Amino acid sequence: MDFEFELSQRFFFDAAHTLRRAHETAGSLRVHGHTYHGEVSVRGRRDATSGMVVDLAVLRAEIEAVRGTLDHHLLDEVPGLGTPTLENLCAYIATALRARQLPVSAVRVWREAGGDSCRLVLPH
Ligand SMILES: Nc1nc2c(c(=O)[nH]1)N=C([C@H](O)[C@H](O)COP(=O)(O)OP(=O)(O)OP(=O)(O)O)CN2
Ligand SMILES: [Zn+2]
């Protein structure tokens, strides 16, 4: 049976942002930081020889390259991110990893402190 698998790798990054919003505006407008947690999932079938969808070392290396554009950055200034919301962070990470030829199926970004979480699911 040729099963289809979903493989996931977690990571985190620390970054600053501001957020212009209609609600609770004061705190969000000042530059401040968060620890963001991320989880990237890739979907596919096993390679007959390696038994892998993709080597986790490759997935980790590609994530690290994208993580480096976010960690210890002011997210407002990251090219291609847009307003630094959880949704845009998910889309940014998914787009960057798909551009690196990874079969991304989902990206989740969350902040432990406030319990905020967002998950982007990409179509098959
Ligand atoms: N749809 C979305 N709504 C909101 C988002 C988002 O990403 N997508 N983000 C925020 C805020 O960033 C979030 O509530 C945290 O508040 P913030 O002002 O950024 O920082 P705080 O220090 O108040 O947050 P902590 O949770 O205390 O770290 C709101 N809405
Ligand atoms: Zn914030």
Side-chain angles (χ1 to χ4, degrees):
M1 178 76 173
D2 195 2
F3 296 113
E4 185 169 62
F5 296 85
E6 192 164 72
L7 203 60
S8 297
Q9 179 67 54
R10 289 192 177 189
F11 63 102
F12 77 93
F13 59 95
D14 294 312
H17 79 151
T18 65
L19 200 61
R20 284 160 193 74
R21 355 172 358 210
H23 307 277
E24 303 162 8
T25 50
S28 294
L29 273 177
R30 288 190 298 272
V31 176
H32 60 281
H34 298 288
T35 294
Y36 291 89
H37 297 269
E39 180 173 74
V40 171
S41 299
V42 294
R43 177 175 46 221
R45 302 185 190 287
R46 288 164 294 186
D47 174 89
T49 308
S50 68
M52 300 175 186
V53 172
V54 59
D55 191 320
L56 282 164
V58 171
L59 181 53
R60 278 194 285 270
E62 298 297 351
I63 289 172
E64 185 56 30
V66 177
R67 178 181 178 275
T69 68
L70 299 170
D71 188 51
H72 284 73
H73 280 71
L74 176 57
L75 298 180
D76 304 53
E77 298 174 350
V78 173
L81 174 60
T83 305
T85 59
L86 294 177
E87 293 94 326
N88 284 345
L89 282 164
C90 284
Y92 174 87
I93 293 163
T95 303
L97 291 174
R98 281 211 152 174
R100 292 170 171 270
Q101 310 310 313
L102 284 172
V104 179
S105 55
V107 176
R108 179 172 166 244
V109 176
W110 69 97
R111 289 180 289 247
E112 293 289 354
D116 304 331
S117 180
C118 179
R119 186 164 189 262
L120 166 64
V121 180
L122 297 163
H124 252 73

